[in-house]
Amino acid sequence: MQNKFKKNRIKKVCACCGKYMGRVTSKNGSENEITHGICGKCKDNLLFQKGVGASLGVFLDNLKRPILAVDREGIIVIANDKAKTLLQNGLSKIEGHNGCELFECIYARLPEGFGNTVYCSGCTIKRTLMETYVTGRSFLKIPVSLNRDTSKDPDKINFLISTVKNNDLVFVRIDHMTA
């Protein structure tokens, strides 16, 4: 009998150099799937030293999936071009804003403010980001359902997110999105 836990451990490789970085647990993935992170060598040599190699923005723009980098407060620090296209927002509407504003969460405009409503405590995005930030644990293809407050009637958006922590940022990959 095959070990069920082992079946849900997927391979993690550096998105920059392809180096094997171990395995991470996934609810939805199979052992043949691959997720990406950034190895220590690439981080030190390419991404976070000014004047050396590509900037973080250029690096993220070269990845094939929409990526957002979020700080400890839930504020989006940078987004790649694929995220901007998917979310149909320009740089000024993404960076410096929180995810609630970006996805137009119906609860974001309540008087309690971002992250402080009774609804926020159960928010899958918030819980996943904060757990990744605090523990360093990565997540793969976590299903999210969000009620949006658009200029039209409220609607629902569904998507899958994956997270990985690097230094003081959590990188969020949007794996799939349907409105």
Side-chain angles (χ1 to χ4, degrees), residues 69 71 74-79 91-99 101:
D71 69 12
I75 303 299
I76 299 163
V77 176
I78 193 165
L91 187 64
S92 64
K93 290 192 175 190
I94 293 179
E95 294 173 3
H97 295 274
N98 63 60
E101 294 170 325

Side-chain angles (χ1 to χ4, degrees), residues 1 22 87 102 119:
M1 185 155 125
L87 301 169
L102 176 65
Y119 306 103

Side-chain angles (χ1 to χ4, degrees), residues 63-128:
L63 297 177
K64 295 178 182 174
R65 297 274 178 90
I67 307 281
L68 305 166
V70 181
D71 69 12
R72 78 181 74 178
E73 305 299 322
I75 303 299
I76 299 163
V77 176
I78 193 165
N80 71 0
D81 287 338
K82 288 161 189 73
K84 294 172 198 167
T85 300
L86 176 69
L87 301 169
Q88 300 175 345
N89 281 311
L91 187 64
S92 64
K93 290 192 175 190
I94 293 179
E95 294 173 3
H97 295 274
N98 63 60
C100 291
E101 294 170 325
L102 176 65
F103 290 106
E104 301 173 301
C105 176
I106 198 166
Y107 306 115
R109 294 189 182 106
L110 293 177
E112 296 94 322
F114 163 64
N116 298 316
T117 73
V118 66
Y119 306 103
C120 298
S121 63
C123 175
T124 303
I125 298 171
K126 180 180 178 182
R127 285 192 333 243
T128 304

Side-chain angles (χ1 to χ4, degrees), residues 10-30:
I10 63 168
K11 186 177 181 180
K12 183 176 179 182
V13 299
C14 177
C16 189
C17 70
K19 175 184 172 185
Y20 176 75
M21 296 171 56
R23 292 195 173 265
V24 294
T25 304
S26 165
K27 279 185 177 179
N28 305 321
S30 71

